[in-house]
């Protein structure tokens, strides 16, 4: 199975997500981050399997894990995760202004 790539920003997003949830429940934080990593690993084997997000930027795709959206792009035979964003945030603004592409 191909390994997914994580951008520096995606790693920061996961760290921030962990820190936020861990303030209330460290075990829940660990489970959520692991769930996202597991889904990302699965998605790496089917790079075009997520939702096309060309309205955000050509070639982007996404999938949801609980209340988080994982934004990625297919690269070679895997995926590169660009952002992990909570569903309450303005994804369009984040992708257009903050994503390292």
């Amino acid at each position: 199975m191909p390994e997914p790539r994580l951008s520096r920003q995606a790693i920061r997003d996961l760290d921030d997500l962990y820190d936020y949830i861990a303030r209330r429940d460290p075990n829940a934080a660990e489970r959520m981050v692991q769930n996202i990593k597991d889904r990302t690993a699965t998605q790496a084997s089917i790079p075009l399997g997520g939702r096309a997000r060309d309205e955000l930027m050509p070639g982007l795709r996404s999938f949801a894990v609980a209340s988080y959206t994982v934004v990625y792009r297919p690269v070679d035979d895997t995926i590169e995760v660009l952002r992990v964003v909570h569903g309450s945030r303005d994804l369009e603004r984040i992708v257009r202004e903050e994503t390292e592409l």
Side-chain angles (χ1 to χ4, degrees):
M1 182 183 315
E3 288 293 317
R5 300 176 192 168
L6 297 175
S7 70
R8 289 184 301 260
Q9 183 59 57
I11 293 168
R12 283 191 295 269
D13 290 342
L14 288 172
D15 289 344
D16 291 347
L17 179 159
Y18 178 88
D19 291 343
Y20 178 76
I21 297 172
R23 284 185 236 150
R24 288 173 295 196
D25 187 341
N27 292 326
E30 184 63 36
R31 286 191 306 272
M32 178 58 71
V33 169
Q34 191 59 54
N35 191 15
I36 291 170
K37 287 180 178 181
D38 290 347
R39 279 289 312 281
T40 299
T42 299
Q43 196 69 43
S45 64
I46 47 171
L48 298 177
R51 175 182 171 196
R53 300 305 298 257
D54 291 324
E55 78 280 7
L56 298 174
M57 189 171 292
L60 287 187
R61 302 188 81 79
S62 71
F63 60 91
V65 178
S67 56
Y68 292 89
T69 300
V70 178
V71 179
Y72 72 95
R73 62 180 165 196
V75 292
D76 302 323
D77 64 343
T78 189
I79 65 173
E80 179 183 22
V81 177
L82 303 172
R83 296 299 308 256
V84 180
V85 180
H86 191 273
S88 66
R89 296 187 62 204
D90 184 347
L91 184 60
E92 183 174 343
R93 183 191 63 77
I94 290 167
V95 168
R96 293 196 188 280
E97 296 177 4
E98 299 177 16
T99 301
E100 296 175 7
L101 296 178

